[in-house]
Amino acid sequence: MRSRPHRYSNLSRHSLPDMRQHIRSAQQGAQQLLEGGINLPTNTGYRQYRYTPYVAAGADIRHPGNGTVLYPKGTRFNVLALDPHGQRALVVIDGRSRWQIEFARHLMKKKPDTLVLYTRLGYLRDAGLPASPLDGAMKSRLNVAGVPTYYRQNGLSFDVVALQPEETK
């Protein structure tokens, strides 16, 4: 019985530095994503409003129980209609502002499942708060125009509060 060569046996030692460079490049790209790259202005006043998040379905949205198509691909629909009794809450902050981090911490004490999204990582790196970078798609979906902005689900829409940080008053 002849043994077959391992599929990686033809890799030369010279290709390892190329692979290391590729890995280093991927790590740098991931780090840049985690740093956040969305620029939003700091809110300059207080604003309260309702917002309904409509999106276009990227694929057929099916009923989890019976599999019928609720929203065909391409249909614009309110994402909150999938769970109108949900209790979603999220806040968008700039992690370079200690005040905004403390604001997010305060919200999370009152509602621990609040999702924290950030435009820039900044001081959040060491704040001990679970948070994710805001990306362009979510920025657009939420129609967020400044930071900090708090969203709380109220049936089929969000009650939104955009406020001016104390540090800028």
XYZ file of all heavy atoms in Angstrom, residues 50-129:
641
model
N -40.083 59.083 18.366
C -40.356 57.666 18.082
C -39.749 57.339 16.730
O -39.771 58.160 15.813
C -41.851 57.393 18.052
C -42.461 57.525 19.444
C -43.775 56.882 19.488
N -43.551 55.665 20.275
C -44.489 54.814 20.576
N -45.694 54.987 20.131
N -44.235 53.764 21.310
N -39.244 56.103 16.630
C -38.620 55.674 15.378
C -39.021 54.232 15.093
O -38.945 53.377 15.981
C -37.092 55.793 15.473
C -36.386 55.256 14.268
C -36.482 55.901 13.036
C -35.640 54.096 14.345
C -35.852 55.394 11.912
C -34.997 53.586 13.224
C -35.106 54.247 12.015
O -34.481 53.734 10.910
N -39.442 53.982 13.849
C -39.808 52.632 13.421
C -38.745 52.130 12.453
O -38.550 52.734 11.398
C -41.193 52.633 12.740
O -42.141 53.198 13.652
C -41.619 51.227 12.379
N -38.049 51.045 12.809
C -36.936 50.554 11.984
C -37.386 49.613 10.858
O -37.559 48.421 11.063
C -36.066 49.804 12.995
C -37.045 49.291 14.008
C -38.149 50.320 14.080
N -37.584 50.173 9.677
C -37.924 49.371 8.511
C -36.651 48.916 7.806
O -35.688 49.671 7.706
C -38.773 50.173 7.527
C -40.196 50.352 7.989
C -40.589 51.505 8.660
C -41.145 49.360 7.771
C -41.886 51.663 9.099
C -42.449 49.514 8.203
C -42.811 50.674 8.866
O -44.102 50.822 9.301
N -36.650 47.684 7.325
C -35.534 47.145 6.542
C -36.103 46.335 5.380
O -37.253 45.892 5.423
C -34.589 46.246 7.379
C -33.940 47.026 8.501
C -35.311 45.026 7.915
N -35.274 46.132 4.368
C -35.650 45.261 3.258
C -35.143 43.856 3.570
O -33.979 43.678 3.944
C -35.046 45.769 1.956
N -36.008 42.880 3.435
C -35.620 41.492 3.715
C -34.585 41.031 2.692
O -34.812 41.114 1.486
C -36.847 40.587 3.673
N -33.444 40.544 3.187
C -32.396 40.042 2.314
C -32.684 38.633 1.816
O -32.070 38.161 0.863
N -33.604 37.974 2.467
C -34.036 36.621 2.111
C -35.474 36.479 2.602
O -35.962 37.319 3.351
C -33.142 35.581 2.775
N -36.152 35.442 2.179
C -37.506 35.203 2.685
C -37.453 35.050 4.199
O -36.616 34.325 4.727
C -38.098 33.928 2.086
C -38.458 34.062 0.619
O -38.462 35.206 0.099
O -38.735 33.032 -0.014
N -38.345 35.751 4.898
C -38.465 35.619 6.353
C -39.632 34.680 6.594
O -40.762 34.949 6.190
C -38.733 36.976 7.049
C -37.690 38.026 6.655
C -38.828 36.806 8.556
C -36.300 37.750 7.132
N -39.340 33.564 7.261
C -40.356 32.522 7.462
C -40.824 32.474 8.918
O -40.080 32.787 9.831
C -39.796 31.160 7.064
C -39.444 31.090 5.600
C -38.985 29.697 5.180
N -38.735 29.649 3.766
C -39.661 29.458 2.844
N -40.914 29.260 3.197
N -39.339 29.438 1.564
N -42.058 32.061 9.079
C -42.628 31.851 10.411
C -41.883 30.680 11.046
O -41.777 29.604 10.432
C -44.121 31.547 10.296
C -44.806 31.498 11.614
N -44.725 30.413 12.452
C -45.587 32.417 12.236
C -45.426 30.641 13.532
N -45.954 31.868 13.426
N -41.360 30.835 12.271
C -40.598 29.747 12.885
C -41.431 28.510 13.197
O -40.903 27.397 13.245
C -40.036 30.365 14.164
C -40.848 31.581 14.420
C -41.413 32.024 13.105
N -42.722 28.683 13.355
C -43.577 27.549 13.712
C -44.019 26.705 12.534
O -43.926 25.481 12.550
N -44.488 27.379 11.472
C -45.056 26.601 10.366
C -44.320 26.771 9.035
O -44.693 26.143 8.048
C -46.545 26.939 10.194
C -46.769 28.404 9.887
O -45.907 29.088 9.357
N -47.960 28.888 10.232
N -43.310 27.638 8.985
C -42.491 27.778 7.788
C -43.080 28.622 6.673
O -42.461 28.781 5.624
N -44.268 29.182 6.877
C -44.839 30.024 5.819
C -44.025 31.307 5.693
O -43.459 31.802 6.668
C -46.318 30.378 6.111
O -46.383 31.070 7.357
C -47.184 29.134 6.156
N -43.993 31.853 4.505
C -43.235 33.077 4.255
C -44.019 34.274 4.807
O -45.149 34.537 4.373
C -42.939 33.259 2.747
C -42.267 34.601 2.487
C -42.089 32.114 2.228
N -43.418 34.972 5.751
C -44.034 36.172 6.315
C -43.702 37.390 5.463
O -44.554 38.233 5.212
C -43.536 36.406 7.748
C -43.892 35.347 8.777
C -43.175 35.619 10.099
C -45.400 35.308 8.986
N -42.418 37.490 5.072
C -41.948 38.617 4.268
C -41.058 38.075 3.152
O -39.964 37.578 3.422
C -41.142 39.609 5.118
C -41.905 40.139 6.302
C -41.615 39.705 7.593
C -42.916 41.076 6.138
C -42.313 40.191 8.681
C -43.626 41.560 7.226
C -43.313 41.116 8.491
O -44.005 41.591 9.567
N -41.501 38.157 1.905
C -40.655 37.687 0.794
C -39.402 38.563 0.657
O -39.401 39.735 1.051
C -41.548 37.856 -0.442
C -42.933 38.037 0.077
C -42.810 38.607 1.455
N -38.366 37.996 0.107
C -37.118 38.717 -0.123
C -37.413 40.041 -0.825
O -38.198 40.095 -1.761
C -36.178 37.858 -0.963
C -34.866 38.535 -1.271
C -33.966 37.657 -2.114
C -32.686 38.396 -2.453
N -31.761 37.586 -3.198
N -36.782 41.120 -0.337
C -36.953 42.441 -0.935
C -38.054 43.281 -0.315
O -38.106 44.485 -0.519
N -38.945 42.656 0.464
C -40.050 43.377 1.089
C -39.530 44.251 2.240
O -38.730 43.806 3.051
C -41.085 42.383 1.669
O -41.532 41.525 0.638
C -42.261 43.106 2.305
N -39.989 45.509 2.288
C -39.659 46.367 3.428
C -40.609 46.030 4.568
O -41.817 45.951 4.374
C -39.822 47.847 3.065
C -38.583 48.464 2.500
C -38.770 49.930 2.146
N -39.359 50.775 3.153
C -38.684 51.462 4.080
N -37.381 51.380 4.121
N -39.304 52.237 4.946
N -40.029 45.809 5.749
C -40.873 45.480 6.895
C -40.264 46.046 8.160
O -39.091 46.370 8.225
C -41.083 43.963 7.007
C -39.859 43.202 7.443
C -39.695 42.807 8.759
C -38.858 42.896 6.541
C -38.564 42.126 9.159
C -37.727 42.208 6.923
C -37.578 41.821 8.243
N -41.086 46.163 9.178
C -40.667 46.651 10.489
C -40.095 45.462 11.258
O -40.811 44.513 11.571
C -41.883 47.236 11.214
C -41.583 47.671 12.632
O -40.505 47.455 13.156
N -42.572 48.294 13.256
N -38.818 45.521 11.578
C -38.188 44.390 12.264
C -38.797 44.134 13.638
O -38.784 43.002 14.120
C -36.658 44.563 12.392
C -36.003 44.556 11.027
C -36.299 45.814 13.160
N -39.355 45.152 14.270
C -39.961 44.957 15.588
C -41.291 44.214 15.503
O -41.767 43.681 16.504
C -40.135 46.298 16.300
C -38.846 47.072 16.572
C -39.153 48.397 17.262
C -37.864 46.250 17.388
N -41.886 44.133 14.311
C -43.143 43.405 14.140
C -42.944 41.906 14.356
O -43.904 41.192 14.648
C -43.721 43.659 12.755
N -41.700 41.436 14.229
C -41.433 40.012 14.464
C -41.577 39.656 15.942
O -41.801 38.502 16.286
C -40.030 39.647 13.963
C -39.821 39.805 12.456
C -38.360 39.624 12.091
C -40.709 38.830 11.694
N -41.431 40.650 16.814
C -41.582 40.441 18.262
C -42.075 41.741 18.889
O -41.315 42.461 19.532
C -40.243 40.014 18.887
C -40.364 39.747 20.379
O -41.498 39.604 20.893
O -39.310 39.695 21.039
N -43.369 42.076 18.682
C -43.882 43.364 19.159
C -43.916 43.499 20.676
O -44.037 44.604 21.194
C -45.289 43.428 18.565
C -45.663 42.017 18.290
C -44.387 41.289 18.002
N -43.770 42.398 21.396
C -43.785 42.458 22.856
C -42.373 42.451 23.434
O -42.189 42.356 24.636
C -44.607 41.305 23.429
C -46.021 41.307 22.935
N -46.924 42.285 23.290
C -46.668 40.479 22.074
C -48.080 42.047 22.676
N -47.944 40.961 21.930
N -41.388 42.537 22.544
C -39.996 42.530 22.987
C -39.673 43.715 23.873
O -40.403 44.720 23.901
N -38.607 43.591 24.585
C -38.193 44.636 25.518
C -36.791 45.135 25.172
O -35.963 45.354 26.036
C -38.216 44.094 26.954
C -39.568 43.621 27.411
C -40.566 44.757 27.485
O -40.301 45.792 28.082
N -41.720 44.576 26.868
N -36.508 45.274 23.888
C -35.172 45.648 23.451
C -34.787 47.049 23.923
O -35.610 47.952 23.938
C -35.075 45.615 21.928
C -35.098 44.226 21.377
C -35.349 44.228 19.872
N -35.594 42.878 19.404
C -36.717 42.209 19.561
N -37.732 42.764 20.189
N -36.845 40.981 19.122
N -33.512 47.172 24.254
C -32.957 48.479 24.604
C -31.525 48.506 24.115
O -30.800 47.514 24.219
C -33.012 48.699 26.112
N -31.142 49.626 23.545
C -29.755 49.784 23.138
C -29.354 51.238 23.233
O -30.196 52.130 23.223
C -29.519 49.231 21.728
C -30.376 49.742 20.592
C -29.581 50.723 19.753
C -30.777 48.570 19.738
N -28.058 51.432 23.364
C -27.518 52.782 23.461
C -26.308 52.866 22.553
O -25.525 51.929 22.455
C -27.173 53.149 24.922
C -26.080 52.258 25.505
C -26.797 54.618 25.052
N -26.194 53.988 21.863
C -25.045 54.246 21.001
C -24.231 55.346 21.666
O -24.763 56.423 21.972
C -25.483 54.675 19.583
C -24.257 54.940 18.709
C -26.390 53.634 18.959
N -22.945 55.045 21.906
C -22.069 55.997 22.580
C -20.734 56.106 21.852
O -20.407 55.288 21.005
C -21.808 55.595 24.061
C -21.031 54.275 24.119
C -23.105 55.529 24.845
C -20.510 53.925 25.507
N -19.973 57.118 22.244
C -18.588 57.261 21.802
C -17.719 56.868 22.991
O -17.766 57.519 24.040
C -18.310 58.705 21.388
C -16.913 58.905 20.822
O -15.996 58.114 21.151
O -16.733 59.858 20.045
N -16.952 55.797 22.854
C -16.131 55.291 23.944
C -14.979 56.201 24.339
O -14.289 55.938 25.318
N -14.769 57.280 23.603
C -13.726 58.244 23.988
C -14.234 59.216 25.045
O -13.466 60.014 25.569
C -13.243 59.003 22.753
C -12.595 58.085 21.712
C -12.269 58.817 20.442
N -13.506 59.259 19.796
C -13.565 59.841 18.605
N -12.455 60.043 17.921
N -14.723 60.198 18.088
N -15.531 59.143 25.365
C -16.138 60.014 26.373
C -16.422 59.214 27.637
O -17.243 58.300 27.637
C -17.459 60.590 25.839
O -18.251 61.113 26.880
N -15.739 59.561 28.718
C -15.969 58.860 29.989
C -17.412 59.062 30.461
O -18.012 58.168 31.041
C -14.976 59.344 31.044
C -13.539 58.942 30.729
C -12.605 59.409 31.850
N -11.223 59.401 31.457
C -10.404 58.365 31.587
N -10.854 57.244 32.077
N -9.152 58.442 31.203
N -17.988 60.243 30.228
C -19.359 60.501 30.635
C -20.316 59.549 29.921
O -21.225 58.997 30.536
C -19.751 61.953 30.347
C -21.090 62.300 30.918
C -21.347 62.825 32.147
C -22.366 62.106 30.294
N -22.707 62.969 32.316
C -23.350 62.532 31.196
C -22.773 61.600 29.059
C -24.711 62.488 30.903
C -24.134 61.545 28.770
C -25.086 61.995 29.692
N -20.116 59.336 28.625
C -20.994 58.455 27.868
C -20.847 56.999 28.323
O -21.831 56.257 28.358
C -20.729 58.581 26.367
C -21.161 59.941 25.830
C -20.983 60.066 24.345
O -21.368 59.168 23.589
N -20.427 61.187 23.896
N -19.659 56.615 28.712
C -19.462 55.262 29.251
C -20.231 55.107 30.554
O -20.902 54.103 30.778
C -17.961 54.967 29.453
C -17.267 54.870 28.089
C -17.760 53.678 30.246
C -15.755 54.827 28.167
N -20.167 56.111 31.422
C -20.902 56.047 32.686
C -22.412 56.085 32.449
O -23.171 55.448 33.173
C -20.451 57.157 33.639
C -19.046 56.940 34.176
C -18.841 55.542 34.760
O -19.673 55.101 35.582
O -17.851 54.882 34.383
N -22.837 56.816 31.438
C -24.248 56.840 31.057
C -24.693 55.426 30.650
O -25.738 54.943 31.102
C -24.454 57.836 29.907
C -25.839 57.864 29.348
C -26.918 58.297 30.104
C -26.078 57.474 28.036
C -28.214 58.333 29.585
C -27.361 57.503 27.500
C -28.424 57.938 28.278
N -23.894 54.754 29.831
C -24.215 53.381 29.409
C -24.224 52.442 30.614
O -25.096 51.578 30.737
C -23.211 52.900 28.366
N -23.272 52.614 31.519
C -23.205 51.773 32.726
C -24.476 51.954 33.564
O -25.055 50.993 34.062
C -21.956 52.132 33.536
C -21.662 51.160 34.659
C -20.439 51.572 35.484
N -19.263 51.938 34.731
C -18.380 51.077 34.227
N -18.571 49.780 34.369
N -17.320 51.518 33.578
N -24.923 53.201 33.706
C -26.153 53.502 34.452
C -27.366 52.814 33.801
O -28.186 52.209 34.508
C -26.352 55.026 34.504
C -27.675 55.435 35.042
N -27.958 55.432 36.387
C -28.811 55.848 34.417
C -29.212 55.829 36.567
N -29.748 56.090 35.388
N -27.459 52.900 32.478
C -28.573 52.245 31.777
C -28.542 50.739 31.983
O -29.582 50.105 32.175
C -28.527 52.565 30.282
C -28.820 54.005 29.880
C -28.541 54.204 28.396
C -30.250 54.381 30.224
N -27.351 50.157 31.946
C -27.230 48.710 32.102
C -27.572 48.252 33.520
O -28.029 47.132 33.705
C -25.837 48.243 31.704
C -25.619 48.353 30.195
S -24.068 47.668 29.670
C -24.434 45.918 29.843
N -27.368 49.101 34.516
C -27.777 48.749 35.881
C -29.294 48.667 35.968
O -29.841 47.801 36.632
C -27.244 49.773 36.879
C -25.788 49.581 37.198
C -25.313 50.585 38.225
C -23.820 50.416 38.455
N -23.270 51.486 39.275
N -29.984 49.588 35.283
C -31.448 49.589 35.290
C -32.020 48.499 34.384
O -33.063 47.936 34.677
C -31.975 50.953 34.841
C -31.721 52.052 35.838
C -32.348 53.340 35.348
C -32.298 54.392 36.383
N -33.383 54.355 37.349
N -31.347 48.222 33.273
C -31.808 47.227 32.303
C -30.583 46.475 31.801
O -29.955 46.862 30.821
C -32.538 47.923 31.150
C -33.193 46.953 30.209
C -34.289 47.629 29.422
C -34.931 46.744 28.414
N -35.202 45.384 28.770
N -30.220 45.382 32.496
C -28.966 44.668 32.209
C -28.806 44.129 30.793
O -27.685 43.932 30.337
C -28.977 43.512 33.214
C -29.871 43.969 34.311
C -30.912 44.832 33.654
N -29.901 43.913 30.073
C -29.768 43.381 28.717
C -29.658 44.478 27.650
O -29.790 44.216 26.458
C -30.918 42.433 28.388
C -32.279 43.082 28.512
O -32.374 44.195 29.051
O -33.267 42.465 28.072
N -29.380 45.712 28.081
C -29.176 46.809 27.137
C -27.941 46.521 26.282
O -26.879 46.176 26.802
C -28.990 48.145 27.887
O -30.170 48.427 28.632
C -28.718 49.296 26.924
N -28.096 46.658 24.993
C -26.987 46.469 24.063
C -26.249 47.794 23.910
O -26.862 48.818 23.621
C -27.514 46.006 22.696
C -26.511 45.908 21.559
C -25.463 44.841 21.853
C -27.229 45.615 20.254
N -24.944 47.777 24.131
C -24.122 48.979 23.987
C -23.380 48.896 22.659
O -22.655 47.936 22.398
C -23.111 49.129 25.149
C -22.231 50.344 24.947
C -23.835 49.190 26.486
N -23.588 49.900 21.822
C -22.877 50.026 20.554
C -22.003 51.277 20.634
O -22.437 52.292 21.177
C -23.856 50.156 19.388
C -24.804 48.984 19.174
C -25.848 49.326 18.108
C -24.036 47.745 18.773
N -20.800 51.202 20.098
C -19.909 52.362 20.169
C -19.403 52.758 18.792
O -19.257 51.947 17.903
C -18.729 52.098 21.109
C -17.841 50.943 20.713
C -16.773 51.110 19.833
C -18.060 49.665 21.231
C -15.964 50.043 19.477
C -17.245 48.602 20.886
C -16.200 48.798 20.006
O -15.395 47.742 19.653
N -19.158 54.072 18.666
C -18.599 54.601 17.429
C -17.077 54.469 17.446
O -16.472 54.175 16.427
C -18.977 56.076 17.243
O -18.522 56.825 18.381
C -20.477 56.236 17.086
N -16.471 54.709 18.587
C -15.029 54.571 18.794
C -14.814 53.890 20.134
O -15.496 54.194 21.109
C -14.329 55.931 18.806
C -14.474 56.715 17.541
C -13.703 56.095 16.422
N -13.818 56.922 15.228
C -13.075 56.772 14.178
N -12.152 55.847 14.139
N -13.247 57.545 13.132
N -13.841 52.988 20.211
C -13.611 52.185 21.418
C -13.111 53.025 22.590
O -13.674 52.988 23.681
C -12.637 51.052 21.114
C -12.364 50.061 22.231
C -13.639 49.362 22.672
C -11.323 49.039 21.787
N -12.051 53.767 22.416
C -11.525 54.656 23.452
C -11.411 54.002 24.818
O -10.846 52.915 24.967
N -11.987 54.657 25.839
C -11.916 54.190 27.230
C -12.732 52.927 27.486
O -12.576 52.293 28.533
C -12.370 55.283 28.204
C -11.549 56.541 28.117
C -12.116 57.730 27.678
C -10.206 56.533 28.478
C -11.366 58.893 27.599
C -9.451 57.688 28.392
C -10.038 58.863 27.951
O -9.286 60.010 27.874
N -13.604 52.558 26.571
C -14.385 51.334 26.737
C -13.487 50.102 26.824
O -13.855 49.100 27.399
C -15.339 51.135 25.552
C -16.752 51.649 25.709
C -17.500 51.537 24.399
C -17.493 50.942 26.807
N -12.297 50.210 26.249
C -11.354 49.086 26.242
C -11.150 48.544 27.658
O -11.053 47.348 27.858
C -10.020 49.552 25.647
C -8.943 48.506 25.606
C -7.599 49.024 25.086
N -7.658 50.134 24.162
C -7.804 50.024 22.829
N -7.908 48.845 22.278
N -7.840 51.094 22.071
N -11.109 49.424 28.648
C -10.835 49.019 30.029
C -12.034 49.230 30.957
O -11.878 49.161 32.171
C -9.630 49.794 30.562
C -8.386 49.579 29.714
O -8.121 48.415 29.347
O -7.697 50.568 29.410
N -13.211 49.504 30.395
C -14.373 49.848 31.225
C -15.109 48.635 31.780
O -15.910 48.774 32.700
C -15.350 50.716 30.433
N -14.887 47.459 31.230
C -15.576 46.270 31.723
C -17.031 46.170 31.291
O -17.796 45.417 31.886
N -17.429 46.926 30.277
C -18.797 46.857 29.762
C -18.812 46.036 28.478
O -17.972 46.256 27.604
C -19.324 48.255 29.414
C -19.708 49.178 30.545
C -20.152 50.526 29.986
C -20.812 48.588 31.389
